[in-house]
Amino acid sequence: RKEVEQDPGPFNVPEGATVAFNCTYSNSASQSFFWYRQDCRKEPKLLMSVYSSGNEDGRFTAQLNRASQYISLLIRDSKLSDSATYLCVVNGDNYGQNFVFGPGTRLSVLP
Amino acid sequence: DGGITQSPKYLFRKEGQNVTLSCEQNLNHDAMYWYRQDPGQGLRLIYYSQIVNDFQKGDIAEGYSVSREKKESFPLTVTSAQKNPTAFYLCASKQRGGTYNEQFFGPGTRLTVL
């Protein structure tokens, strides 16, 4: 089993749609969780961290379920500029030194 | 402006040649990382360094070498022993400690073996 798995995608949605991405991880001792965004042929950039209580940043909501080892990202009112690959990232140790990246899920928002 | 720079942006190599990819950061981060990304795949860790003069192998270190002589620099050498080096190489840095400290990435180097 891979350490971090994501929905295979791609997701093609119309502008204004709500889209949800799912991610599962295998290391139950994982300490911290993130969603990164990667535009085509660019470097990944942090979208948001995922805290145990869940967190929201504008149109983006992230949830963490430690019991099920599951992370989600919800994007509401999709914009064309949201088109990118979304990477689920899990930090596997206590010291923040071991980031494991999922394969990513590609999103295309269509006009 | 603080950030991470990588050079060159594009690199072409003949089979059998060693090449060195540059990574420099002025964020005063202790930890630095090298990843490789292949089309449609996630990032795979090649090497990482938590402090000057120390580095550790990642998941796919074979055919690669690194050095960490200065805090701000972490060059990666792709040797002729790396059988399939064509890929997108990403360097990252991070402040040590703090489980929620994020990794910052450079713009990457695309290496193509001719």
Side-chain angles (χ1 to χ4, degrees):
Chain A
R1 180 183 173 188
K2 293 182 180 178
E3 289 190 68
V4 179
E5 298 192 63
Q6 296 186 240
D7 293 330
F11 284 29
N12 299 314
V13 303
E15 270 189 290
T18 295
V19 60
F21 300 128
N22 301 310
C23 171
T24 58
Y25 60 95
S26 60
N27 182 359
S28 59
S30 296
Q31 297 296 308
S32 52
F33 311 88
F34 307 86
W35 284 101
Y36 274 70
R37 170 192 169 129
Q38 186 174 24
D39 292 297
C40 188
R41 303 179 71 83
K42 299 286 190 181
E43 74 273 23
K45 293 184 179 179
L46 180 69
L47 176 66
M48 58 196 305
S49 304
V50 187
Y51 302 111
S52 296
S53 56
N55 45 300
E56 185 174 313
D57 183 3
R59 298 182 293 109
F60 299 85
T61 301
Q63 296 284 343
L64 167 65
N65 184 323
R66 284 188 182 271
S68 301
Q69 295 178 206
Y70 168 88
I71 306 158
S72 66
L73 176 68
L74 185 75
I75 304 176
R76 292 180 298 277
D77 188 23
S78 300
K79 311 292 184 189
L80 295 176
S81 57
D82 293 333
S83 297
T85 296
Y86 290 83
L87 305 174
C88 176
V89 184
V90 175
N91 173 30
D93 63 43
N94 291 328
Y95 304 100
Q97 306 304 326
N98 181 17
F99 278 45
V100 180
F101 287 77
T105 302
R106 188 158 59 89
L107 171 66
S108 294
V109 181
L110 308 173
Chain B
D1 288 337
I4 303 176
T5 57
Q6 291 186 241
S7 62
K9 187 173 182 178
Y10 298 97
L11 185 57
F12 298 91
R13 188 194 94 172
K14 293 181 180 179
E15 284 193 21
Q17 283 184 333
N18 292 355
V19 291
T20 297
L21 282 56
S22 168
C23 176
E24 304 277 332
Q25 54 98 0
N26 61 4
L27 299 167
N28 200 34
H29 287 167
D30 289 304
M32 296 187 73
Y33 307 79
W34 274 105
Y35 294 93
R36 168 183 174 140
Q37 187 175 36
D38 293 282
Q41 296 190 34
L43 279 66
R44 291 185 289 168
L45 183 63
I46 304 173
Y47 268 98
Y48 65 99
S49 168
Q50 298 185 26
I51 198 167
V52 173
N53 292 323
D54 181 67
F55 49 82
Q56 306 295 328
K57 291 182 178 180
D59 301 320
I60 55 165
E62 184 175 352
Y64 299 97
S65 65
V66 293
S67 63
R68 187 82 188 277
E69 297 176 0
K70 298 187 296 182
K71 185 176 184 177
E72 56 272 20
S73 178
F74 191 40
L76 173 74
T77 297
V78 184
T79 75
S80 57
Q82 170 50 235
K83 298 305 178 188
N84 185 22
T86 295
F88 186 39
Y89 290 87
L90 288 157
C91 178
S93 73
K94 178 185 170 302
Q95 193 59 265
R96 283 185 70 193
T99 55
Y100 273 98
N101 289 346
E102 69 175 280
Q103 283 192 356
F104 292 85
F105 285 85
T109 293
R110 292 196 177 274
L111 173 63
T112 302
V113 174
L114 303 173

